[in-house]
Amino acid sequence: MPKAVISSFDFADYLANSKNLIEAALDDSLGPENPELLRDAMRYSLLAGGKRLRPILCLAACELACGDSEKAMPTAVALEMIHTMSLIHDDLPSMDNDDLRRGRPTNHKVYGDAIAILAGDALLTRAFEMVAIRTSDVPADRLLMVVGELSLAAGAPGLVGGQVVDLESEGKEVDLDTLEYIHLHKTGALLRACLICGALIGGAKQDLLDALDVYAKGIGLAFQIIDDILDVTASSEVLGKTAGKDLIADKTTYPKLIGLEKSKERANELVQAAKDALNPWKEKSAPLLALADYITNRDR
Ligand code: GRG
């Protein structure tokens, strides 16, 4: 009775348990770095809360591939480190110039620009250390593939490339194709890496990797559409970051291009397509199905 199994899946419980495990692993991942100032700046942003969506996706994909998610935890931590680094750098005055992140002053507001850049650099390089040095019991060829996926997602073909096109587009008329390019690179590439890396560690075969690729594209774009919507509809207090920034920076967003209602419809369609890709995995995909819904229903 697959239906009964799906309905018995307790998403709130799953989310809370996953977050607890991830918070503990993040805390463990930063050793007694020296100098102390660098350690404090790294911890300040990495342990500042956040939804922890990326590590949760990584662990869920590992489990969907029938792997032991404990073995994927260092990679899950690495993904949150890369994400946190990108937030620190994105908030800098030379980028998005923001004062508030995860409900507290941004890293450079507390530690200054130079230390914020270096804390980001240290988190980015620690991410690769987590995979290459702090992972046990995963075949070396799989870990090498994970390193490759992380490099592609963080570098010019992913985050950095998306950020550059985003910066170049400020104050310009941008069409839907360019907007999708920005979102799929700036946000989607890392979300995709979370799923692919988790699945690789779990021993996934090509059919699951292909399905996760489709799922990732859907949730990646939907995630960013919802981000655009929340920028207009939610408060800074709830978001934990400055609301209304896109309007102030005259950024092209989904609501600006196609309106709020159509943006919501598009996000829902994308999430449905993402979920459909996992149909062959039936009830085993319950966590990823629920995570896809969480992305469109979130309020921050
Ligand atoms: C140096 C490798 C390197 C990259 C830097 C700055 C930059 C290039 C890229 C910017 C990437 C960026 C900030 C994308 C926005 C992604 C996004 C929507 C972040 C918000 O994610 P949530 O809502 O945040 O998951 P929490 O706080 O919950 O983790």
Side-chain angles (χ1 to χ4, degrees), residues 55 116-117 184 252 296:
I117 292 169
L184 284 174
T252 303
T296 34

Side-chain angles (χ1 to χ4, degrees), residues 156 158-172 174-175 177-183 185-186 251:
L159 275 180
V160 179
Q163 178 78 347
V164 170
V165 179
D166 193 19
L167 290 173
E168 280 178 345
S169 303
E170 253 175 55
K172 286 189 195 154
V174 165
D175 61 19
D177 282 349
T178 311
L179 187 63
E180 283 202 2
Y181 178 94
I182 294 169
H183 290 345
H185 289 77
K186 203 179 138 166
K251 275 200 172 175

Side-chain angles (χ1 to χ4, degrees), residues 68-268:
D68 171 1
S69 59
E70 223 173 286
K71 294 182 187 173
M73 188 58 95
T75 297
V77 166
L79 286 152
E80 187 66 19
M81 286 176 166
I82 296 174
H83 170 55
T84 302
M85 169 283 301
S86 79
L87 300 179
I88 296 173
H89 285 192
D90 191 53
D91 290 334
L92 287 167
S94 55
M95 300 255 187
D96 235 17
N97 191 19
D98 221 319
D99 297 350
L100 187 68
R101 173 68 71 180
R102 290 175 165 170
R104 47 208 305 213
T106 44
N107 197 293
H108 67 274
K109 282 278 154 193
V110 179
Y111 296 98
D113 292 8
I115 295 299
I117 292 169
L118 292 166
D121 293 343
L123 286 171
L124 177 60
T125 40
R126 173 61 54 84
F128 288 91
E129 182 186 326
M130 295 305 300
V131 176
I133 299 175
R134 300 202 197 187
T135 301
S136 313
D137 287 336
V138 178
D141 60 335
R142 290 266 153 177
L143 281 187
L144 197 56
M145 285 193 258
V146 168
V147 168
E149 291 295 336
L150 292 183
S151 312
L152 291 171
L159 275 180
V160 179
Q163 178 78 347
V164 170
V165 179
D166 193 19
L167 290 173
E168 280 178 345
S169 303
E170 253 175 55
K172 286 189 195 154
E173 289 291 315
V174 165
D175 61 19
L176 209 52
D177 282 349
T178 311
L179 187 63
E180 283 202 2
Y181 178 94
I182 294 169
H183 290 345
L184 284 174
H185 289 77
K186 203 179 138 166
T187 307
L190 193 60
L191 292 174
R192 178 187 175 279
C194 296
L195 293 151
I196 300 296
C197 292
L200 282 171
I201 291 172
K205 298 202 177 71
Q206 197 56 46
D207 58 343
L208 178 55
L209 294 173
D210 291 344
L212 287 173
D213 201 49
V214 176
Y215 171 89
K217 218 171 185 171
I219 64 153
L221 207 46
F223 182 88
Q224 192 58 57
I225 295 175
I226 297 299
D227 220 61
D228 285 359
I229 294 174
L230 291 173
D231 186 71
V232 207
T233 58
S235 66
S236 301
E237 207 177 22
V238 173
L239 288 180
K241 60 181 180 181
T242 316
K245 280 273 331 224
D246 296 340
L247 273 179
I248 295 163
D250 193 24
K251 275 200 172 175
T252 303
T253 61
Y254 264 83
K256 190 174 164 189
L257 275 184
I258 61 173
L260 266 181
E261 273 319 301
K262 282 232 152 18
S263 300
K264 280 183 201 160
E265 273 170 32
R266 179 87 183 111
N268 286 331

